[in-house]
Amino acid sequence: MGNMDQVNSRDDNLQSSPDKDLPETKKLTDETDYKMAKRQNLGCFFVGSDGPRHRGNRLLSNSEQLPDTELPPEVEEGNIEYKLKLVNPNPSRLEHLVTQMKWRLREGQGEAVYEIGVCDNGKLAGLCRGEMDASIETLRTMSKLADAECIVLKEFNVMDSKSMSSVPSSTQHKPHVPKMAWGESNGGRDTASTSAVPPSKDKFVCEVLIRRSQDEDCMWTDLRVAMLGNVDAGKSTLCGVLTHGELDNGAGKARLNLFRHLHEIQSGHTSSISREILGFDKQGRMFNYENHSIESILDCSSKIITFIDLAGSQKYLKTTVFGLTGHCPDYAALVVNSKQGLVGTFREHLGLTVALRVLSFVCITKIDGTAPATVRRCRHQIENILRGPAVRRPAYVVSSLSEAEDAALQIRERTPVFMVSAVTGDNLSLLHHFLSRLQPALSKEERSQALQAAPRFSVDGVLTVTGQGTIITGLTTKGTIREEDTMLLGPSRTNRMRRLR
């Protein structure tokens, strides 16, 4: 996500020149430079083996004088952003600016500094009073959409290099009013006289702090749900409808969003592992791809459901087993085609969840085109197998919102069963409510122990990028991995482990 935001966060001025190559981030390896920067509170620092690294160039710091007529060019990393002006952006442009602001906030761990009236190359161009007021108003709008606070720190007149105002950090920017000059008259009493309005040629530069509170309540809970079931059960279609908010057309349109390969689109069968997310806030409101980007879902949600769509064919059973073991799902959704019943790999997938101790729930799909008697027969088959000696978690058919909430709380004792349709949307609201109420499978103490354990990273993909080398993707199942940590990679075909950093 960070790399995508970096790519999309350039060309920041509304009417700026074409994109320019960005310089490398300046390193403050000199101890004097570091102490000076730290004393002046110049943003954030990376601390590594080569000393601290400045993450941006603050314009004003604590000085009342404009330091120079030019700053170092803007850097891509860090929480400092230069903006020439932000005057009346259109909705598309505003969305882009908000995405960029969220990137800067993440870089600064909840704080970002905007230098208004400054070009990307560091030149202090300045803005007239009207453009500055409009830019600050746009910045306020952006901050509100990013769930942040906008605070004006300093404002300078570029023409005379003198501070026009020293704004306390707790106050908001207000449109400019003429300054008051104080003099003596009538017994030495202080009286106020209005100074002349600054001429139109005056240009202003402003420094603004964007701050978003960072507390534990802002962090979201991540739950992983594996989609299991036989071929043609409707796993990918159901997952696509849940995450994209668009009902299926009866011909598998919704599942196309999850397929990764051409042969999957042609056959309609999943052969690989794909992931999609669904978000919920604290009030239970849902956020999916219908009206939100991935970044927006993550920012708006207090709970993220990651669906892991797995293959249903016997041919790809090995891939399915890897998805269950390597991705460590909290729950498994066993999807059953109401027309077919318990056929194919369903029993094998159910046995895997029991063996791996993954809590599961059942979704009976395609009820819109199935006779009621056939649906009831399928439901009875499921009830019989769930109360058998292998599972011993009796079925609990959910038919109301209150039952969906009870099912989420009692999932360890009973197996929730939902009868849904991805075409008509029947009972999907019950499934949404159930997912919003699900809690992590691990307790807080178990999660704390997992974080303190020796780190373990499950590799699920290997990429080769020109100029970058080999990149591995996967999931950290235990502990915490930091830069410069030494890890053991393996086992290899000869059952050996390779040491690397």
Side-chain angles (χ1 to χ4, degrees), residues 339-371:
K339 297 178 182 180
Q340 298 176 348
L342 306 186
V343 298
T345 57
F346 174 84
R347 288 180 172 82
E348 292 176 89
H349 290 179
L350 176 60
L352 288 172
T353 63
V354 174
L356 297 173
R357 298 181 180 178
V358 178
L359 296 174
S360 61
F361 57 94
V362 177
C363 294
I364 302 176
T365 61
K366 305 183 182 182
I367 63 172
D368 56 289
T370 307

PDB file of all heavy atoms in Angstrom, residues 339-371:
ATOM      1  N   LYS A 339     -28.558 -27.199  -4.410  1.00  0.00           N
ATOM      2  CA  LYS A 339     -29.038 -28.140  -5.419  1.00  0.00           C
ATOM      3  C   LYS A 339     -28.295 -29.467  -5.362  1.00  0.00           C
ATOM      4  O   LYS A 339     -28.843 -30.512  -5.707  1.00  0.00           O
ATOM      5  CB  LYS A 339     -28.884 -27.529  -6.811  1.00  0.00           C
ATOM      6  CG  LYS A 339     -29.695 -26.275  -7.044  1.00  0.00           C
ATOM      7  CD  LYS A 339     -29.447 -25.726  -8.436  1.00  0.00           C
ATOM      8  CE  LYS A 339     -30.224 -24.437  -8.676  1.00  0.00           C
ATOM      9  NZ  LYS A 339     -29.995 -23.885 -10.025  1.00  0.00           N
ATOM     10  N   GLN A 340     -27.019 -29.439  -4.930  1.00  0.00           N
ATOM     11  CA  GLN A 340     -26.176 -30.631  -4.961  1.00  0.00           C
ATOM     12  C   GLN A 340     -26.095 -31.340  -3.620  1.00  0.00           C
ATOM     13  O   GLN A 340     -25.926 -32.564  -3.566  1.00  0.00           O
ATOM     14  CB  GLN A 340     -24.759 -30.250  -5.410  1.00  0.00           C
ATOM     15  CG  GLN A 340     -24.688 -29.667  -6.811  1.00  0.00           C
ATOM     16  CD  GLN A 340     -23.278 -29.215  -7.159  1.00  0.00           C
ATOM     17  OE1 GLN A 340     -22.398 -29.131  -6.302  1.00  0.00           O
ATOM     18  NE2 GLN A 340     -23.050 -28.906  -8.434  1.00  0.00           N
ATOM     19  N   GLY A 341     -26.172 -30.570  -2.529  1.00  0.00           N
ATOM     20  CA  GLY A 341     -26.015 -31.193  -1.214  1.00  0.00           C
ATOM     21  C   GLY A 341     -24.549 -31.436  -0.889  1.00  0.00           C
ATOM     22  O   GLY A 341     -23.645 -30.786  -1.424  1.00  0.00           O
ATOM     23  N   LEU A 342     -24.312 -32.438  -0.018  1.00  0.00           N
ATOM     24  CA  LEU A 342     -22.951 -32.726   0.452  1.00  0.00           C
ATOM     25  C   LEU A 342     -22.264 -33.682  -0.505  1.00  0.00           C
ATOM     26  O   LEU A 342     -22.250 -34.897  -0.307  1.00  0.00           O
ATOM     27  CB  LEU A 342     -23.000 -33.301   1.865  1.00  0.00           C
ATOM     28  CG  LEU A 342     -23.765 -32.467   2.902  1.00  0.00           C
ATOM     29  CD1 LEU A 342     -23.626 -33.070   4.288  1.00  0.00           C
ATOM     30  CD2 LEU A 342     -23.285 -31.021   2.892  1.00  0.00           C
ATOM     31  N   VAL A 343     -21.672 -33.124  -1.545  1.00  0.00           N
ATOM     32  CA  VAL A 343     -20.989 -33.935  -2.549  1.00  0.00           C
ATOM     33  C   VAL A 343     -19.550 -33.448  -2.692  1.00  0.00           C
ATOM     34  O   VAL A 343     -19.162 -32.406  -2.158  1.00  0.00           O
ATOM     35  CB  VAL A 343     -21.710 -33.852  -3.912  1.00  0.00           C
ATOM     36  CG1 VAL A 343     -23.120 -34.392  -3.809  1.00  0.00           C
ATOM     37  CG2 VAL A 343     -21.729 -32.412  -4.429  1.00  0.00           C
ATOM     38  N   GLY A 344     -18.765 -34.217  -3.434  1.00  0.00           N
ATOM     39  CA  GLY A 344     -17.401 -33.806  -3.751  1.00  0.00           C
ATOM     40  C   GLY A 344     -16.508 -33.675  -2.536  1.00  0.00           C
ATOM     41  O   GLY A 344     -16.460 -34.566  -1.677  1.00  0.00           O
ATOM     42  N   THR A 345     -15.814 -32.556  -2.448  1.00  0.00           N
ATOM     43  CA  THR A 345     -14.776 -32.361  -1.427  1.00  0.00           C
ATOM     44  C   THR A 345     -15.312 -31.758  -0.130  1.00  0.00           C
ATOM     45  O   THR A 345     -14.518 -31.422   0.749  1.00  0.00           O
ATOM     46  CB  THR A 345     -13.670 -31.443  -1.982  1.00  0.00           C
ATOM     47  OG1 THR A 345     -14.259 -30.194  -2.401  1.00  0.00           O
ATOM     48  CG2 THR A 345     -12.956 -32.078  -3.155  1.00  0.00           C
ATOM     49  N   PHE A 346     -16.614 -31.602   0.017  1.00  0.00           N
ATOM     50  CA  PHE A 346     -17.133 -30.949   1.221  1.00  0.00           C
ATOM     51  C   PHE A 346     -16.677 -31.675   2.489  1.00  0.00           C
ATOM     52  O   PHE A 346     -16.213 -31.045   3.439  1.00  0.00           O
ATOM     53  CB  PHE A 346     -18.658 -30.876   1.182  1.00  0.00           C
ATOM     54  CG  PHE A 346     -19.256 -30.342   2.457  1.00  0.00           C
ATOM     55  CD1 PHE A 346     -19.367 -28.989   2.673  1.00  0.00           C
ATOM     56  CD2 PHE A 346     -19.684 -31.211   3.471  1.00  0.00           C
ATOM     57  CE1 PHE A 346     -19.903 -28.495   3.855  1.00  0.00           C
ATOM     58  CE2 PHE A 346     -20.216 -30.728   4.650  1.00  0.00           C
ATOM     59  CZ  PHE A 346     -20.326 -29.364   4.844  1.00  0.00           C
ATOM     60  N   ARG A 347     -16.834 -32.997   2.509  1.00  0.00           N
ATOM     61  CA  ARG A 347     -16.482 -33.754   3.721  1.00  0.00           C
ATOM     62  C   ARG A 347     -14.986 -33.662   4.008  1.00  0.00           C
ATOM     63  O   ARG A 347     -14.577 -33.610   5.173  1.00  0.00           O
ATOM     64  CB  ARG A 347     -16.929 -35.199   3.579  1.00  0.00           C
ATOM     65  CG  ARG A 347     -18.442 -35.386   3.676  1.00  0.00           C
ATOM     66  CD  ARG A 347     -18.845 -36.834   3.537  1.00  0.00           C
ATOM     67  NE  ARG A 347     -20.267 -37.039   3.804  1.00  0.00           N
ATOM     68  CZ  ARG A 347     -21.227 -36.837   2.924  1.00  0.00           C
ATOM     69  NH1 ARG A 347     -20.919 -36.421   1.691  1.00  0.00           N
ATOM     70  NH2 ARG A 347     -22.499 -37.044   3.248  1.00  0.00           N
ATOM     71  N   GLU A 348     -14.154 -33.646   2.961  1.00  0.00           N
ATOM     72  CA  GLU A 348     -12.717 -33.501   3.177  1.00  0.00           C
ATOM     73  C   GLU A 348     -12.390 -32.136   3.761  1.00  0.00           C
ATOM     74  O   GLU A 348     -11.567 -32.021   4.678  1.00  0.00           O
ATOM     75  CB  GLU A 348     -11.975 -33.706   1.852  1.00  0.00           C
ATOM     76  CG  GLU A 348     -12.053 -35.134   1.332  1.00  0.00           C
ATOM     77  CD  GLU A 348     -11.396 -35.247  -0.031  1.00  0.00           C
ATOM     78  OE1 GLU A 348     -10.182 -35.501  -0.069  1.00  0.00           O
ATOM     79  OE2 GLU A 348     -12.095 -35.080  -1.040  1.00  0.00           O
ATOM     80  N   HIS A 349     -13.036 -31.109   3.238  1.00  0.00           N
ATOM     81  CA  HIS A 349     -12.792 -29.764   3.767  1.00  0.00           C
ATOM     82  C   HIS A 349     -13.275 -29.637   5.207  1.00  0.00           C
ATOM     83  O   HIS A 349     -12.613 -29.009   6.045  1.00  0.00           O
ATOM     84  CB  HIS A 349     -13.493 -28.730   2.882  1.00  0.00           C
ATOM     85  CG  HIS A 349     -12.865 -28.575   1.535  1.00  0.00           C
ATOM     86  ND1 HIS A 349     -13.346 -27.712   0.579  1.00  0.00           N
ATOM     87  CD2 HIS A 349     -11.776 -29.178   0.978  1.00  0.00           C
ATOM     88  CE1 HIS A 349     -12.591 -27.791  -0.501  1.00  0.00           C
ATOM     89  NE2 HIS A 349     -11.643 -28.686  -0.283  1.00  0.00           N
ATOM     90  N   LEU A 350     -14.416 -30.224   5.510  1.00  0.00           N
ATOM     91  CA  LEU A 350     -14.901 -30.218   6.888  1.00  0.00           C
ATOM     92  C   LEU A 350     -13.923 -30.951   7.801  1.00  0.00           C
ATOM     93  O   LEU A 350     -13.627 -30.494   8.918  1.00  0.00           O
ATOM     94  CB  LEU A 350     -16.281 -30.870   6.956  1.00  0.00           C
ATOM     95  CG  LEU A 350     -16.896 -31.022   8.354  1.00  0.00           C
ATOM     96  CD1 LEU A 350     -17.075 -29.668   9.020  1.00  0.00           C
ATOM     97  CD2 LEU A 350     -18.228 -31.765   8.281  1.00  0.00           C
ATOM     98  N   GLY A 351     -13.392 -32.082   7.335  1.00  0.00           N
ATOM     99  CA  GLY A 351     -12.413 -32.824   8.131  1.00  0.00           C
ATOM    100  C   GLY A 351     -11.146 -32.027   8.375  1.00  0.00           C
ATOM    101  O   GLY A 351     -10.542 -32.111   9.458  1.00  0.00           O
ATOM    102  N   LEU A 352     -10.733 -31.216   7.384  1.00  0.00           N
ATOM    103  CA  LEU A 352      -9.547 -30.371   7.572  1.00  0.00           C
ATOM    104  C   LEU A 352      -9.772 -29.326   8.655  1.00  0.00           C
ATOM    105  O   LEU A 352      -8.888 -29.053   9.471  1.00  0.00           O
ATOM    106  CB  LEU A 352      -9.175 -29.694   6.249  1.00  0.00           C
ATOM    107  CG  LEU A 352      -8.564 -30.584   5.162  1.00  0.00           C
ATOM    108  CD1 LEU A 352      -8.443 -29.815   3.860  1.00  0.00           C
ATOM    109  CD2 LEU A 352      -7.193 -31.100   5.596  1.00  0.00           C
ATOM    110  N   THR A 353     -10.945 -28.721   8.672  1.00  0.00           N
ATOM    111  CA  THR A 353     -11.222 -27.718   9.711  1.00  0.00           C
ATOM    112  C   THR A 353     -11.244 -28.341  11.094  1.00  0.00           C
ATOM    113  O   THR A 353     -10.782 -27.731  12.064  1.00  0.00           O
ATOM    114  CB  THR A 353     -12.567 -27.021   9.437  1.00  0.00           C
ATOM    115  OG1 THR A 353     -13.633 -27.981   9.498  1.00  0.00           O
ATOM    116  CG2 THR A 353     -12.573 -26.362   8.067  1.00  0.00           C
ATOM    117  N   VAL A 354     -11.754 -29.569  11.190  1.00  0.00           N
ATOM    118  CA  VAL A 354     -11.774 -30.255  12.491  1.00  0.00           C
ATOM    119  C   VAL A 354     -10.357 -30.604  12.922  1.00  0.00           C
ATOM    120  O   VAL A 354      -9.967 -30.396  14.081  1.00  0.00           O
ATOM    121  CB  VAL A 354     -12.655 -31.511  12.417  1.00  0.00           C
ATOM    122  CG1 VAL A 354     -12.560 -32.310  13.721  1.00  0.00           C
ATOM    123  CG2 VAL A 354     -14.114 -31.136  12.147  1.00  0.00           C
ATOM    124  N   ALA A 355      -9.562 -31.140  11.989  1.00  0.00           N
ATOM    125  CA  ALA A 355      -8.187 -31.541  12.314  1.00  0.00           C
ATOM    126  C   ALA A 355      -7.325 -30.342  12.700  1.00  0.00           C
ATOM    127  O   ALA A 355      -6.481 -30.443  13.602  1.00  0.00           O
ATOM    128  CB  ALA A 355      -7.577 -32.286  11.135  1.00  0.00           C
ATOM    129  N   LEU A 356      -7.531 -29.210  12.020  1.00  0.00           N
ATOM    130  CA  LEU A 356      -6.731 -28.011  12.289  1.00  0.00           C
ATOM    131  C   LEU A 356      -7.354 -27.120  13.354  1.00  0.00           C
ATOM    132  O   LEU A 356      -6.816 -26.056  13.669  1.00  0.00           O
ATOM    133  CB  LEU A 356      -6.544 -27.209  10.999  1.00  0.00           C
ATOM    134  CG  LEU A 356      -5.774 -27.905   9.882  1.00  0.00           C
ATOM    135  CD1 LEU A 356      -5.809 -27.082   8.606  1.00  0.00           C
ATOM    136  CD2 LEU A 356      -4.331 -28.163  10.313  1.00  0.00           C
ATOM    137  N   ARG A 357      -8.504 -27.540  13.885  1.00  0.00           N
ATOM    138  CA  ARG A 357      -9.203 -26.812  14.948  1.00  0.00           C
ATOM    139  C   ARG A 357      -9.559 -25.391  14.506  1.00  0.00           C
ATOM    140  O   ARG A 357      -9.382 -24.414  15.253  1.00  0.00           O
ATOM    141  CB  ARG A 357      -8.369 -26.787  16.229  1.00  0.00           C
ATOM    142  CG  ARG A 357      -8.110 -28.172  16.800  1.00  0.00           C
ATOM    143  CD  ARG A 357      -7.309 -28.114  18.079  1.00  0.00           C
ATOM    144  NE  ARG A 357      -7.067 -29.455  18.609  1.00  0.00           N
ATOM    145  CZ  ARG A 357      -6.351 -29.717  19.707  1.00  0.00           C
ATOM    146  NH1 ARG A 357      -5.827 -28.703  20.404  1.00  0.00           N
ATOM    147  NH2 ARG A 357      -6.181 -30.968  20.120  1.00  0.00           N
ATOM    148  N   VAL A 358     -10.062 -25.281  13.300  1.00  0.00           N
ATOM    149  CA  VAL A 358     -10.539 -23.999  12.774  1.00  0.00           C
ATOM    150  C   VAL A 358     -12.057 -23.960  12.912  1.00  0.00           C
ATOM    151  O   VAL A 358     -12.757 -24.820  12.373  1.00  0.00           O
ATOM    152  CB  VAL A 358     -10.135 -23.815  11.292  1.00  0.00           C
ATOM    153  CG1 VAL A 358     -10.681 -22.497  10.751  1.00  0.00           C
ATOM    154  CG2 VAL A 358      -8.621 -23.876  11.140  1.00  0.00           C
ATOM    155  N   LEU A 359     -12.578 -22.993  13.649  1.00  0.00           N
ATOM    156  CA  LEU A 359     -14.016 -22.858  13.820  1.00  0.00           C
ATOM    157  C   LEU A 359     -14.671 -22.544  12.478  1.00  0.00           C
ATOM    158  O   LEU A 359     -14.136 -21.783  11.672  1.00  0.00           O
ATOM    159  CB  LEU A 359     -14.326 -21.752  14.826  1.00  0.00           C
ATOM    160  CG  LEU A 359     -13.836 -21.999  16.254  1.00  0.00           C
ATOM    161  CD1 LEU A 359     -14.076 -20.758  17.117  1.00  0.00           C
ATOM    162  CD2 LEU A 359     -14.530 -23.209  16.859  1.00  0.00           C
ATOM    163  N   SER A 360     -15.843 -23.113  12.239  1.00  0.00           N
ATOM    164  CA  SER A 360     -16.475 -22.970  10.930  1.00  0.00           C
ATOM    165  C   SER A 360     -17.941 -22.603  11.056  1.00  0.00           C
ATOM    166  O   SER A 360     -18.573 -22.784  12.102  1.00  0.00           O
ATOM    167  CB  SER A 360     -16.335 -24.264  10.126  1.00  0.00           C
ATOM    168  OG  SER A 360     -16.968 -25.341  10.798  1.00  0.00           O
ATOM    169  N   PHE A 361     -18.483 -22.047   9.961  1.00  0.00           N
ATOM    170  CA  PHE A 361     -19.917 -21.842   9.806  1.00  0.00           C
ATOM    171  C   PHE A 361     -20.286 -22.246   8.376  1.00  0.00           C
ATOM    172  O   PHE A 361     -19.416 -22.361   7.507  1.00  0.00           O
ATOM    173  CB  PHE A 361     -20.323 -20.395  10.109  1.00  0.00           C
ATOM    174  CG  PHE A 361     -19.617 -19.359   9.276  1.00  0.00           C
ATOM    175  CD1 PHE A 361     -20.188 -18.871   8.105  1.00  0.00           C
ATOM    176  CD2 PHE A 361     -18.380 -18.849   9.666  1.00  0.00           C
ATOM    177  CE1 PHE A 361     -19.554 -17.916   7.339  1.00  0.00           C
ATOM    178  CE2 PHE A 361     -17.731 -17.885   8.905  1.00  0.00           C
ATOM    179  CZ  PHE A 361     -18.316 -17.416   7.740  1.00  0.00           C
ATOM    180  N   VAL A 362     -21.555 -22.460   8.128  1.00  0.00           N
ATOM    181  CA  VAL A 362     -22.010 -23.019   6.858  1.00  0.00           C
ATOM    182  C   VAL A 362     -22.886 -22.003   6.130  1.00  0.00           C
ATOM    183  O   VAL A 362     -23.723 -21.328   6.748  1.00  0.00           O
ATOM    184  CB  VAL A 362     -22.799 -24.328   7.079  1.00  0.00           C
ATOM    185  CG1 VAL A 362     -23.330 -24.868   5.759  1.00  0.00           C
ATOM    186  CG2 VAL A 362     -21.910 -25.368   7.762  1.00  0.00           C
ATOM    187  N   CYS A 363     -22.671 -21.894   4.819  1.00  0.00           N
ATOM    188  CA  CYS A 363     -23.515 -21.057   3.966  1.00  0.00           C
ATOM    189  C   CYS A 363     -24.132 -21.939   2.876  1.00  0.00           C
ATOM    190  O   CYS A 363     -23.395 -22.496   2.047  1.00  0.00           O
ATOM    191  CB  CYS A 363     -22.694 -19.931   3.326  1.00  0.00           C
ATOM    192  SG  CYS A 363     -22.051 -18.722   4.485  1.00  0.00           S
ATOM    193  N   ILE A 364     -25.428 -22.089   2.902  1.00  0.00           N
ATOM    194  CA  ILE A 364     -26.146 -22.830   1.858  1.00  0.00           C
ATOM    195  C   ILE A 364     -26.542 -21.824   0.776  1.00  0.00           C
ATOM    196  O   ILE A 364     -27.313 -20.897   1.036  1.00  0.00           O
ATOM    197  CB  ILE A 364     -27.385 -23.539   2.427  1.00  0.00           C
ATOM    198  CG1 ILE A 364     -26.981 -24.491   3.557  1.00  0.00           C
ATOM    199  CG2 ILE A 364     -28.124 -24.297   1.346  1.00  0.00           C
ATOM    200  CD1 ILE A 364     -28.150 -25.167   4.249  1.00  0.00           C
ATOM    201  N   THR A 365     -26.001 -21.967  -0.424  1.00  0.00           N
ATOM    202  CA  THR A 365     -26.175 -20.975  -1.480  1.00  0.00           C
ATOM    203  C   THR A 365     -27.192 -21.431  -2.532  1.00  0.00           C
ATOM    204  O   THR A 365     -27.655 -22.572  -2.524  1.00  0.00           O
ATOM    205  CB  THR A 365     -24.828 -20.707  -2.161  1.00  0.00           C
ATOM    206  OG1 THR A 365     -24.344 -21.930  -2.739  1.00  0.00           O
ATOM    207  CG2 THR A 365     -23.805 -20.188  -1.159  1.00  0.00           C
ATOM    208  N   LYS A 366     -27.500 -20.490  -3.420  1.00  0.00           N
ATOM    209  CA  LYS A 366     -28.372 -20.727  -4.583  1.00  0.00           C
ATOM    210  C   LYS A 366     -29.776 -21.170  -4.193  1.00  0.00           C
ATOM    211  O   LYS A 366     -30.406 -21.984  -4.881  1.00  0.00           O
ATOM    212  CB  LYS A 366     -27.736 -21.759  -5.524  1.00  0.00           C
ATOM    213  CG  LYS A 366     -26.316 -21.375  -5.963  1.00  0.00           C
ATOM    214  CD  LYS A 366     -25.729 -22.357  -6.958  1.00  0.00           C
ATOM    215  CE  LYS A 366     -24.304 -21.965  -7.336  1.00  0.00           C
ATOM    216  NZ  LYS A 366     -23.702 -22.852  -8.335  1.00  0.00           N
ATOM    217  N   ILE A 367     -30.278 -20.619  -3.096  1.00  0.00           N
ATOM    218  CA  ILE A 367     -31.624 -20.998  -2.659  1.00  0.00           C
ATOM    219  C   ILE A 367     -32.692 -20.358  -3.536  1.00  0.00           C
ATOM    220  O   ILE A 367     -33.858 -20.772  -3.493  1.00  0.00           O
ATOM    221  CB  ILE A 367     -31.854 -20.608  -1.188  1.00  0.00           C
ATOM    222  CG1 ILE A 367     -31.761 -19.084  -1.012  1.00  0.00           C
ATOM    223  CG2 ILE A 367     -30.859 -21.301  -0.277  1.00  0.00           C
ATOM    224  CD1 ILE A 367     -32.157 -18.606   0.368  1.00  0.00           C
ATOM    225  N   ASP A 368     -32.305 -19.350  -4.338  1.00  0.00           N
ATOM    226  CA  ASP A 368     -33.295 -18.658  -5.160  1.00  0.00           C
ATOM    227  C   ASP A 368     -33.811 -19.541  -6.298  1.00  0.00           C
ATOM    228  O   ASP A 368     -34.953 -19.397  -6.730  1.00  0.00           O
ATOM    229  CB  ASP A 368     -32.687 -17.385  -5.748  1.00  0.00           C
ATOM    230  CG  ASP A 368     -31.433 -17.670  -6.549  1.00  0.00           C
ATOM    231  OD1 ASP A 368     -30.404 -18.004  -5.923  1.00  0.00           O
ATOM    232  OD2 ASP A 368     -31.453 -17.568  -7.782  1.00  0.00           O
ATOM    233  N   GLY A 369     -32.978 -20.461  -6.797  1.00  0.00           N
ATOM    234  CA  GLY A 369     -33.389 -21.310  -7.911  1.00  0.00           C
ATOM    235  C   GLY A 369     -33.567 -22.761  -7.536  1.00  0.00           C
ATOM    236  O   GLY A 369     -33.539 -23.640  -8.409  1.00  0.00           O
ATOM    237  N   THR A 370     -33.742 -23.021  -6.252  1.00  0.00           N
ATOM    238  CA  THR A 370     -33.873 -24.402  -5.775  1.00  0.00           C
ATOM    239  C   THR A 370     -35.230 -24.592  -5.101  1.00  0.00           C
ATOM    240  O   THR A 370     -35.694 -23.716  -4.366  1.00  0.00           O
ATOM    241  CB  THR A 370     -32.744 -24.732  -4.770  1.00  0.00           C
ATOM    242  OG1 THR A 370     -31.482 -24.430  -5.362  1.00  0.00           O
ATOM    243  CG2 THR A 370     -32.775 -26.198  -4.390  1.00  0.00           C
ATOM    244  N   ALA A 371     -35.816 -25.731  -5.334  1.00  0.00           N
ATOM    245  CA  ALA A 371     -37.108 -26.035  -4.719  1.00  0.00           C
ATOM    246  C   ALA A 371     -36.980 -26.076  -3.206  1.00  0.00           C
ATOM    247  O   ALA A 371     -35.959 -26.555  -2.680  1.00  0.00           O
ATOM    248  CB  ALA A 371     -37.644 -27.367  -5.242  1.00  0.00           C
TER     249      ALA A 371
END
